[in-house]
Amino acid sequence: MNSRRVAALVWALCAVMAVASSVLLVLGPGRPVESDVFGGVGGAAFLMLSLAFATVGTIVATRLPGNPIGWLFCALGLFIGATVLAWVYADYGLHATSERLPGAAAAASFPGEAGAALLGFALLLFPDGRLPSRRWRPAAYVLALAAALLLVTDLLRPGPLDDPFAMVSNRLGIPGARSVMDALNNVGWALVVVGIVLAAGSLLVRLRRARGVERQQLELVLAVGVVVATVVVLDMGSWLLWPDGELQVRMAVMGVSFAAFPIAAGVAILRYRLYDIDVVVNRTLVYVTLTVLLAAAYGVTTLILGTALGRGSAWTTAGATLAAAVAFRPLRARVQGAVDRRFNRARYDAQRRIAEFLNDLRAGRAAPEAIEALLRELVGDPTLELRFLLPESQLCVDAGGVPVDDLPDDRQRTMIQRAGAPVGIVVHQPARPDERDLLPRLVEAGGLAIEIARLRVELRRQLAEVQASRARIVAAGDEERRRIERDLHDGAQQRLVSIGLAMRHAQHELGDGSPGLAGKTLDAAVEELSVAIQELRELARGLPPAQLDAGLAPALEELAGRAPLPVEVRAVPERLPCGVEAAAYFIACEGLTNAVKHAHASKVVLSAAQDNGTLVVSVADDGIGGAGRGRGSGLSGLSDRVVAQGGTLAIESEPGKGTTLTAELPCGS
């Protein structure tokens, strides 16, 4: 018979026993339910526990026949089902009829306590069905000895059985050995507790060295184990405080809580949606621990206030409730941190790094844009990108402010929100199942830095737009000036020169015999024309010449040729962007004009050289120095022109040592 058929047979036996037990529970012995160990809801809960172990065991044994945990669960399901059926049948056969039913007394002696050790074996072998190492063999021996002691003492203990079977004597009991058997039974239960504690310790040892899937399996079972242990402790506490309490309710709670263990173990072993419950495991550990601590705080506060104010005082209850409410938030934060630090170290360290980064950001030791590199490191994705949503322009931009719209097919996006409004998107590689919630947590924790980075990106874009607008205005002004210069040179200036020549020609035609008054009038008119032409030339001197169309060097040579003092020109022959050439020309023009009008210089050097993608324009004279932006020299407007091109302007002008005007303009080459 193969494993599938054996497992199906086990489950069928458990189902039959559950049906039979349910029928007997419905018929009932007609006695008060308080005296029934497995009566009513208590018996139903343990039947559910039997089916839970049998069902999970059948599934695991069918899919993973080499893992002994599946067969252990099948055995546990059979044992619990047989125990419930035997005791319910004995209860019914001894109390519900006028005559005892056949086998009722023997059923009352069924050794049901020995099954507790099997649970310890399942914990010790979880999740792969093997011991963690040979050093854990003594734990297995302890559990085996405990099972043997419980089985022997149940079978051989003489005298009347425990309530509700006190009227039955164990036929297999050894006369006179009751005290010895009771002592051995107590030892057996103590060994069961020790074995289960050792098995839980083995799970913790496995957890410390486990990675990936195995770690998730262990975390799940340990979380459920914490819940079950909490229920057991609270149940024992309630039994100690209220020994006359509802027995069936206690048994039902125990049965339902223990049923969570095989279900969790089966999910972990079969890895069915294992990673989806990681958050549940974390929250379970946090809130179970928090519940215990708050209950303890409530109890201690009640005891203290009850002693001071008297029992039954409403102030006692109010004070204890207030203390628990005040302690909730700080206690939850501490418990959450402790759970993450112990059971999810990677996430804890990542969130701690984010918190340290935010502290550095507040102290000015870190730039908000560094959050992108930090997220890449923490999630292990070097391709991760932050993209920011700009509400004013409705654009999606990268950290450099460049608009981006495309999203590769192999990338995922995680939305970033602040105060309910989207502020950005994280584009990243698909996360592993066990890390799917890591990035959203880190993004939420680092939301402040991301928001500040978005605002800085938006501000830089706006400043760039303002700078580009200024550059366009300057370029438009330069173009307009060049048009005026052409109009003046090719139009009005040429017309005036032509008129002057015509008037001189007319004067010569009149000859020496021309009327004196007419000759004087023509002389005066020609002189006025000469003055007008000179003024036009002076006016055109501040405008970009036509030679700038041929490059910066010819324009500077033309400018130097019009100067009334020696000017040395050192200019690059290469062509540059129009805006850069125009700005360089006006810098040279303004510097030369200042040298002529204010510096009383005897020599000027104009230079324009490229250095690592920057055009360095310099105007140096040997004049009196002392120049400045605020002295009406036109340097303030020149500074605005340089800034509009994204450059910088420096002035060195010590009195008596001449003036050097230096501008650096990015030229992209």
Side-chain angles (χ1 to χ4, degrees):
M1 186 177 292
N2 60 26
S3 59
R4 185 182 298 273
R5 291 183 179 179
V6 173
L9 178 60
V10 170
W11 191 89
L13 288 174
C14 289
V16 170
M17 288 187 293
V19 172
S21 300
S22 301
V23 172
L24 293 173
L25 284 172
V26 172
L27 294 177
R31 298 180 297 102
V33 293
E34 289 83 358
S35 63
D36 293 340
V37 177
F38 288 112
V41 294
F46 271 82
L47 286 177
M48 183 182 70
L49 178 61
S50 169
L51 288 175
F53 273 108
T55 302
V56 174
T58 300
I59 296 174
V60 174
T62 300
R63 298 187 180 182
L64 301 172
N67 193 328
I69 294 180
W71 300 110
L72 273 175
F73 281 2
C74 289
L76 262 172
L78 275 175
F79 201 87
I80 296 172
T83 301
V84 175
L85 177 59
W87 288 358
V88 172
Y89 176 76
D91 199 21
Y92 181 80
L94 294 173
H95 299 95
T97 61
S98 58
E99 297 181 1
R100 292 184 180 181
L101 294 178
S109 304
F110 187 84
E113 295 178 335
L118 294 179
L119 179 61
F121 274 113
L123 288 173
L124 192 61
L125 298 177
F126 182 84
D128 55 5
R130 297 188 297 270
L131 292 173
S133 66
R134 293 183 178 181
R135 293 181 299 175
W136 290 93
R137 286 181 178 179
Y141 297 152
V142 167
L143 290 168
L145 179 59
L149 287 175
L150 293 177
L151 181 62
V152 169
T153 55
D154 280 352
L155 290 174
L156 303 180
R157 184 164 47 188
L161 300 178
D162 294 332
D163 190 62
F165 309 128
M167 76 290 294
V168 178
S169 294
N170 187 3
R171 296 179 180 180
L172 300 178
I174 301 175
R178 177 64 183 246
S179 59
V180 175
M181 293 301 167
D182 286 343
L184 291 177
N185 185 267
N186 291 333
V187 172
W189 275 111
L191 291 177
V192 167
V193 174
V194 171
I196 291 178
V197 171
L198 289 175
S202 73
L203 293 179
L204 294 176
V205 171
R206 290 179 189 263
L207 181 66
R208 293 186 62 180
R209 64 191 185 196
R211 296 292 184 272
V213 174
E214 185 181 4
R215 186 176 185 86
Q216 296 290 332
Q217 292 173 317
L218 293 168
E219 286 181 352
L220 174 59
V221 171
L222 282 171
V224 175
V226 169
V227 175
V228 174
T230 303
V231 172
V232 172
V233 170
L234 294 177
D235 179 76
M236 293 182 62
S238 66
W239 178 73
L240 292 174
L241 294 176
W242 299 284
D244 298 330
E246 183 67 58
L247 178 62
Q248 279 198 45
V249 173
R250 291 181 51 235
M251 298 301 292
V253 171
M254 293 283 286
V256 171
S257 61
F258 274 99
F261 172 73
I263 296 173
V267 169
I269 293 173
L270 299 174
R271 305 179 185 182
Y272 176 73
R273 300 183 64 86
L274 180 61
Y275 302 114
D276 291 343
I277 57 179
D278 183 64
V279 176
V280 177
V281 171
N282 187 285
R283 292 293 184 266
T284 299
L285 292 174
V286 169
Y287 285 105
V288 166
T289 306
L290 190 61
T291 300
V292 173
L293 293 177
L294 289 178
Y298 185 90
V300 171
T301 307
T302 301
L303 180 62
I304 295 174
L305 294 180
T307 303
L309 302 176
R311 299 185 62 181
S313 174
W315 290 104
T316 301
T317 304
T321 304
L322 180 61
V326 171
F328 176 79
R329 286 185 63 85
L331 193 60
R332 180 190 178 281
R334 289 182 176 273
V335 172
Q336 182 72 65
V339 169
D340 285 343
R341 184 168 58 252
R342 181 64 185 85
F343 294 101
N344 199 329
R345 188 72 190 186
R347 180 187 302 165
Y348 174 80
D349 290 340
Q351 292 182 329
R352 180 177 55 82
R353 291 279 304 278
I354 290 290
E356 292 175 353
F357 174 78
L358 292 178
N359 290 333
D360 292 341
L361 179 63
R362 296 185 184 97
R365 297 188 296 268
E369 291 80 5
I371 187 68
E372 183 179 54
L374 182 59
L375 289 175
R376 289 175 179 172
E377 177 185 353
L378 295 180
V379 302
D381 181 6
T383 65
L384 181 145
E385 297 180 24
L386 277 180
R387 298 183 178 181
F388 304 101
L389 301 177
L390 307 183
E392 294 293 333
S393 57
Q394 298 296 315
L395 290 176
C396 179
V397 301
D398 60 14
V402 179
V404 287
D405 295 322
D406 61 314
L407 181 65
D409 296 336
D410 60 339
R411 309 293 293 279
Q412 289 184 351
R413 63 172 67 196
T414 298
M415 186 63 65
I416 308 171
Q417 292 188 338
R418 293 279 293 174
V423 298
I425 299 171
V426 182
V427 180
H428 56 94
Q429 295 288 350
R432 296 186 312 185
D434 57 335
E435 295 181 351
R436 280 184 298 189
D437 65 330
L438 177 60
L439 182 59
R441 286 175 177 269
L442 297 180
V443 168
E444 180 181 1
L448 176 62
I450 295 174
E451 172 68 3
I452 296 175
R454 185 190 70 83
L455 293 175
R456 286 163 60 104
V457 168
E458 186 173 17
L459 179 60
R460 284 196 296 270
R461 278 188 56 85
Q462 292 178 351
L463 290 177
E465 290 177 0
V466 171
Q467 185 174 354
S469 176
R470 292 178 61 180
R472 289 193 296 271
I473 293 173
V474 170
D478 291 345
E479 185 63 27
E480 183 64 18
R481 289 184 179 188
R482 296 178 71 176
R483 185 188 65 78
I484 294 174
E485 193 273 340
R486 292 191 189 95
D487 291 345
L488 290 176
H489 183 272
D490 299 335
Q493 185 174 333
Q494 294 299 327
R495 289 176 181 273
L496 290 176
V497 171
S498 298
I499 293 173
L501 292 175
M503 294 180 67
R504 284 298 184 189
H505 181 69
Q507 188 177 29
H508 289 162
E509 287 182 345
L510 290 174
D512 296 335
S514 61
L517 182 59
K520 292 180 179 180
T521 301
L522 288 174
D523 287 337
V526 171
E527 290 178 1
E528 287 295 328
L529 284 174
S530 299
V531 172
I533 292 172
Q534 185 63 31
E535 288 179 351
L536 284 177
R537 288 175 177 172
E538 291 291 333
L539 179 62
R541 184 173 297 172
L543 300 175
Q547 288 85 343
L548 197 58
D549 293 337
L552 179 62
L556 294 181
E557 293 288 352
E558 194 274 343
L559 179 64
R562 291 184 294 170
L565 73 168
V567 177
E568 180 181 355
V569 178
R570 306 168 186 169
V572 293
E574 293 86 359
R575 293 304 307 268
L576 300 170
C578 295
V580 174
E581 289 183 342
Y585 175 80
F586 279 106
I587 292 167
C589 184
E590 183 65 33
L592 183 58
T593 300
N594 287 339
V596 171
K597 291 185 177 180
H598 307 293
H600 306 294
S602 61
K603 182 181 179 181
V604 177
V605 177
L606 295 180
S607 66
Q610 287 183 274
D611 183 15
N612 294 327
T614 300
L615 179 64
V616 181
V617 181
S618 175
V619 182
D621 65 58
D622 58 355
I624 60 176
R629 286 184 173 88
R631 301 182 59 182
S633 61
L635 295 179
S636 296
L638 189 61
S639 178
D640 292 340
R641 178 182 287 274
V642 173
V643 172
Q645 292 294 329
T648 58
L649 180 67
I651 301 173
E652 296 180 7
S653 184
E654 295 185 15
K657 295 184 178 181
T659 299
T660 300
L661 184 70
T662 304
E664 296 183 0
L665 303 171
C667 59
S669 62

